[in-house]
Amino acid sequence: MKTWLIVIAYIVLAPVIGGLIAGIDRKISAHMQKRVGPSILQPFYDVHKLFSKQSIVVNKSQKFYVLGFFTFIIFTGCLFFAGGDLLLVIFVLTLASIFLVMGAYSTNSPYSYLGAERELIQMMAYEPMVILTTVGLYMVTHSFFVRNIAAFGKPIISVLPGVFLGYVFILTIKLRKSPFDLSMSHHAHQELVRGLITEFSGPELAWIEVAHWYENVFLLGLVYLFLGSNPIAAIIMVLVVYFLEIFIDNNSARLKWQHTLLASWVIALILGAGNIAVLMLF
């Protein structure tokens, strides 16, 4: 019964929290750029406006792919916050990303096509570190289940500092922040306009935006696990990590995909694999 309450709470509250995070993100970014910036509630106004527009799609399959992306992103968070298998969570998250890529490919737009290719490259860049994070958490707690990892009595970050830093590094890609916003960006420096979602508009674009709010809450939930034995310290760490991502986003230019791929694999090898190797030895 308690699990179902947590799942329902996630479904209801995650878009509210995700939308507020997006609004605070915009506000802090504006101040870093010496602007006043929009209201913290602006993301909700934007999504409401998108939902009120007429649904115009390039082809019917676009709606199916958006539905698949939205559904599997929510399923990812539900599994995670219900304390399910972390391996299954990662698999479903990857499946959701594939639906978004397929949606972009289906439009036959050159901007969407290039954005989809870059999204696949980004997945190749961050997936090794995501897997190493899962393996590291298992080696410390001897369980893939989130409920057991969260209930681990000691701060996991103390034995997995390299894995934690590696995850924070690829989190920049997952949150679509510079310098790793190759396939999709809110910023004007993106020559792909909106890349992956160029051909999405109206309600379909709104569903994608809300799905990202769900996804961001899940991604920050994974950060929380590293210090889950101390909830207050874990929440502070989540806030610090997200502020760091905003700071990096506003102080870095976009990298080429070759540099993104190389940097992510080097970090995964040195911090992720190195930390796990040390753990195995000692």
Side-chain angles (χ1 to χ4, degrees):
M1 187 64 182
K2 184 180 177 182
T3 301
W4 280 107
L5 288 176
I6 293 173
V7 169
I8 292 170
Y10 169 75
I11 293 173
V12 174
L13 297 179
V16 178
I17 296 171
L20 287 175
I21 290 173
I24 294 170
D25 187 329
R26 288 189 193 181
K27 199 72 176 178
I28 294 175
S29 294
H31 282 292
M32 286 182 177
Q33 298 165 11
K34 297 184 178 180
R35 295 186 289 109
V36 176
S39 161
I40 290 175
L41 299 178
Q42 189 61 45
F44 297 103
Y45 301 147
D46 293 343
V47 165
H48 179 264
K49 187 176 181 180
L50 287 172
F51 274 122
S52 66
K53 290 187 174 182
Q54 183 183 359
S55 177
I56 300 175
V57 293
V58 178
N59 54 60
K60 291 182 180 178
S61 61
Q62 263 189 299
K63 288 189 175 183
F64 169 75
Y65 290 125
V66 169
L67 178 63
F69 174 64
F70 184 77
T71 303
F72 282 110
I73 283 291
I74 293 180
F75 190 43
T76 298
C78 289
L79 276 174
F80 180 82
F81 287 100
D85 192 324
L86 194 55
L87 280 177
L88 182 58
V89 169
I90 300 303
F91 171 76
V92 178
L93 180 65
T94 304
L95 186 60
S97 300
I98 293 295
F99 268 91
L100 187 59
V101 169
M102 294 297 291
Y105 271 131
S106 71
T107 63
N108 290 321
S109 161
Y111 290 116
S112 296
Y113 195 86
L114 194 54
E117 288 193 332
R118 290 185 176 187
E119 181 71 9
L120 290 175
I121 290 169
Q122 288 190 164
M123 290 171 67
M124 289 171 58
Y126 65 69
E127 283 294 343
M129 193 59 235
V130 172
I131 298 298
L132 286 174
T133 301
T134 307
V135 171
L137 291 172
Y138 172 80
M139 290 182 68
V140 174
T141 63
H142 303 292
S143 175
F144 280 118
F145 284 88
V146 176
R147 69 175 70 90
N148 297 333
I149 297 171
F152 193 68
K154 300 177 182 176
I156 298 174
I157 194 173
S158 64
V159 286
L160 290 177
V163 171
F164 173 73
L165 291 175
Y167 178 72
V168 170
F169 186 86
I170 60 103
L171 192 61
T172 312
I173 303 175
K174 291 295 294 174
L175 294 174
R176 303 188 183 285
K177 303 290 190 187
S178 293
F180 298 134
D181 52 341
L182 292 173
S183 64
M184 187 171 88
S185 173
H186 291 285
H187 299 306
H189 67 231
Q190 177 62 273
E191 80 279 12
L192 288 175
V193 191
R194 296 302 305 277
L196 195 64
I197 56 174
T198 301
E199 299 298 332
F200 291 95
S201 62
E204 282 69 36
L205 185 57
W207 287 119
I208 291 174
E209 188 64 27
V210 175
H212 283 308
W213 294 351
Y214 275 107
E215 184 180 17
N216 289 348
V217 171
F218 154 71
L219 292 171
L220 294 176
L222 203 49
V223 174
Y224 178 96
L225 278 186
F226 282 88
L227 210 55
S229 59
N230 187 335
I232 295 176
I235 291 172
I236 293 173
M237 184 172 69
V238 168
L239 295 175
V240 170
V241 166
Y242 198 81
F243 180 80
L244 179 64
E245 297 291 348
I246 297 173
F247 180 79
I248 293 171
D249 187 34
N250 286 280
N251 290 280
S252 58
R254 186 170 54 78
L255 287 177
K256 293 181 178 179
W257 69 265
Q258 295 95 333
H259 296 149
T260 297
L261 196 64
L262 180 63
S264 301
W265 283 0
V266 168
I267 290 295
L269 180 65
I270 295 177
L271 294 180
N275 195 163
I276 289 174
V278 170
L279 204 62
M280 292 174 68
L281 291 173
F282 300 99

